[in-house]
Amino acid sequence: MSHNLEAHNLDEEALAILKKNDRGGFTIPTARLYPFQWNWDSAFIAIGLATFDQDRAWRELELLVEGQARDGMIPHIIFRKDDSDYFPGPSVWQTNGGGLSASGISQPPVLASVVAKFAQEQGEGSLDRAAALFDAMLAWHRWWHRDRTPDGCPVVCTVHPWETGRDNCPDWNIGMNNMAIDPQLEAYQRKDIEHADPSQRPSHEQYDKYITIVKFGRDHGWDQKVLTNDGPFLMADPGIFFILLRADRDLLWLARKLGKDVAAAEIEGWIADAEANADYFWNADVGAYCARDVRTGEFSEGFSNASALCFYAGIKDQTRLASTIAHMKRIAAKTRFGQSSWDPDLASFESQRYWCGPLWCQMNYMIAAGLAEHGETDMADKMRDDLRSVIELSGFYECFDPVDGSGCIGTDFSWTAALWLAWASPSSVAPTASGQEAANGLN
Ligand code: GLC
């Protein structure tokens, strides 16, 4: 079979996956393992949908925003209705924040960057739809800066590994070790290990801690400020920090485009604060931006794929960027495909375990966008080519072993299909090298 024919078939397969996972205006990540709408998944899925149906792509984002709580948070999962295949479902979260039935934590705020990208690519005609989402996005960013920034801490934080989207990355070990399992924790039955290989999923002890945090939120009526200041887990994540900084820049672009001067001034303040405090994450021992336990000040020891998002965030410290590139080159020499989620030189690296090593397409997409804007087009293009290779080799998995390219965990995965269509496929029209020309938007 010729390469082009294979690529053509993969385009068709990707389209079929997005259609199959469509639940009427929103797209689930994959059937059974993740049967609801997930926050940042939808943002990346919309990028893929826009390659063949712009209206449906906007719809994906509009339905995500429908889940917004009264305090501005856009939740990490929007349930709409229960599904016995999933734990923890709405009866465990018991949120009461308005909006739709949803979880009580958020996920990395990619949304505004996708809206800005669409507004740039689709021209003036798309501005009405972008404008209709503007207030919701502003309220959500304000929520991060107000409710997820603990008193006395200079940067935005997170209260749950699931909120980071990098669920059981070893980055969270310090925070998890510093917390206790609630002795009153109700008995529960995991569903994830019925749908995926348990050796690639989190341990039972980790799961008990995840549910302990949910119980704390529930016991405190989902008062997010209390959960942030007094909850069992409090870490600062370079992933959320860099993604939010980038999204703030993209929201600022949109605010100016829409003539929203008051909002623009508020956003400028957030950006200035973040730029002034990025060094909070700088782990001088490692020479990289790393996660940190806020209460003890302790740094995570590892270079993760979130460390590599500093370019995407528009960080300009050349010494720190050079050190980051040196790490990426060291890691690339040890793995074969793309940016792994964890450092292969550490004992905690596992090439196929959930966030302890695998390559994730959405992280590689953002990292490459940042590298291209920084002028590192060869590295950016290699990330795209590597994603193409692993998908050609293994198909549309949730993530991939960065050493041998085999597919891991969920199959028929929506964001993998979406980013194939928008980026990795030979027929996609958005080489990362063109990222240079746009100052804003996720290119
Ligand atoms: C897993 C991932 C998370 C993703 C979700 C749905 O929980 O860690 O990032 O959003 O699956 O795909």
Side-chain angles (χ1 to χ4, degrees):
M1 202 186 288
S2 82
H3 180 78
N4 278 343
L5 189 54
E6 278 178 29
H8 177 70
N9 287 343
L10 285 170
D11 286 355
E12 310 251 292
E13 207 180 316
L15 271 172
I17 288 171
L18 290 179
K19 295 225 154 86
K20 183 171 83 172
N21 291 341
D22 187 332
R23 291 294 178 273
F26 71 91
T27 311
I28 60 168
T30 186
R32 306 202 66 210
L33 186 59
Y34 305 121
F36 308 107
Q37 184 174 22
W38 256 258
N39 188 324
W40 71 332
D41 292 64
S42 271
F44 293 108
I45 289 165
I47 295 173
L49 293 171
T51 63
F52 62 93
D53 187 345
Q54 291 181 349
D55 176 60
R56 177 61 184 77
W58 281 102
R59 207 65 207 118
E60 185 81 25
L61 303 179
E62 288 156 2
L63 290 202
L64 173 61
V65 163
E66 268 184 24
Q68 185 161 42
R70 268 188 305 272
D71 60 11
M73 183 184 78
I74 303 187
H76 100 292
I77 308 174
I78 301 171
F79 296 120
R80 292 188 169 78
K81 59 180 170 52
D82 207 351
D83 186 317
S84 57
D85 253 345
Y86 187 80
F87 177 87
S91 61
V92 180
W93 289 92
Q94 294 176 23
T95 52
N96 56 2
L100 303 172
S101 162
S103 70
I105 55 172
S106 198
Q107 241 185 352
V110 187
L111 174 66
S113 298
V114 177
V115 170
K117 172 183 166 66
F118 287 178
Q120 284 162 9
E121 288 175 357
Q122 299 172 16
E124 297 293 318
S126 66
L127 275 183
D128 284 352
R129 278 180 109 159
L133 294 177
F134 184 84
D135 288 347
M137 295 190 293
L138 182 70
W140 187 26
H141 288 210
R142 193 181 285 141
W143 175 85
W144 282 106
H145 292 290
R146 184 195 59 211
D147 288 0
R148 266 301 177 263
T149 304
D151 297 339
C153 178
V155 295
V156 65
C157 290
T158 185
V159 299
H160 199 304
W162 291 346
E163 192 164 73
T164 70
R166 303 188 292 124
D167 302 20
N168 83 313
C169 179
D171 263 342
W172 317 127
N173 289 352
I174 351 169
M176 295 286 267
N177 290 342
N178 287 344
M179 68 169 278
I181 296 168
D182 187 325
Q184 313 287 321
L185 201 64
E186 63 278 11
Y188 62 88
Q189 202 183 352
R190 287 175 68 172
K191 295 285 178 182
D192 60 316
I193 42 181
E194 290 174 16
H195 309 311
D197 178 350
S199 71
Q200 298 179 348
R201 298 285 305 177
S203 70
H204 286 302
E205 193 199 333
Q206 271 172 323
Y207 232 81
D208 278 352
K209 291 190 171 174
Y210 296 151
I211 303 304
T212 291
I213 306 172
V214 174
K215 182 174 182 308
F216 181 97
R218 199 176 63 205
D219 290 349
H220 291 83
W222 293 107
D223 180 325
Q224 296 290 344
K225 204 65 196 169
V226 171
L227 181 55
T228 304
N229 282 323
D230 307 325
F233 178 98
L234 184 63
M235 287 193 71
D237 169 25
I240 288 177
F241 177 79
F242 287 143
I243 289 170
L244 180 59
L245 175 50
R246 172 57 180 257
D248 277 341
R249 295 188 200 282
D250 292 329
L251 194 63
L252 178 61
W253 175 84
L254 205 56
R256 290 193 179 130
K257 184 93 188 155
L258 298 172
K260 299 195 179 270
D261 298 342
V262 177
E266 183 178 4
I267 301 165
E268 278 167 359
W270 296 334
I271 294 171
D273 262 8
E275 285 177 340
N277 291 306
D279 261 0
Y280 181 86
F281 292 93
W282 188 254
N283 182 341
D285 292 338
V286 175
Y289 293 104
C290 294
R292 221 173 152 179
D293 185 304
V294 175
R295 295 189 181 118
T296 63
E298 196 185 343
F299 278 107
S300 164
E301 60 170 346
F303 188 96
S304 72
N305 47 5
S307 308
L309 286 174
C310 48
F311 307 96
Y312 176 78
I315 297 293
K316 292 285 176 255
D317 184 321
Q318 297 308 318
T319 317
R320 300 210 182 324
L321 296 181
S323 179
T324 303
I325 294 220
H327 276 295
M328 293 171 78
K329 292 197 164 150
R330 171 182 59 78
I331 290 170
K334 282 232 146 176
T335 54
R336 208 169 126 215
F337 300 104
Q339 184 69 44
S340 58
S341 40
W342 194 238
D343 188 334
D345 278 327
L346 295 176
S348 44
F349 176 82
E350 290 178 80
S351 64
Q352 300 198 347
R353 193 192 267 274
Y354 205 51
W355 291 102
C356 299
L359 174 175
W360 297 76
C361 64
Q362 85 289 8
M363 296 298 285
N364 277 247
Y365 175 74
M366 290 185 288
I367 295 166
L371 284 171
E373 287 160 8
H374 184 61
E376 292 288 348
T377 48
D378 288 352
M379 285 177 80
D381 287 345
K382 178 178 184 303
M383 295 188 87
R384 178 187 184 222
D385 293 348
D386 285 356
L387 184 63
R388 180 182 299 169
S389 301
V390 291
I391 292 173
E392 284 173 352
L393 192 70
S394 302
F396 295 97
Y397 273 86
E398 178 170 1
C399 54
F400 300 87
D401 183 322
V403 181
D404 69 11
S406 55
C408 307
I409 322 182
T411 53
D412 290 351
F413 223 78
S414 294
W415 62 22
T416 314
L419 293 178
W420 168 268
L421 290 173
W423 187 50
S425 167
S427 56
S428 93
V429 285
T432 48
S434 71
Q436 279 288 53
E437 63 193 63
N440 297 284
L442 223 177
N443 288 282

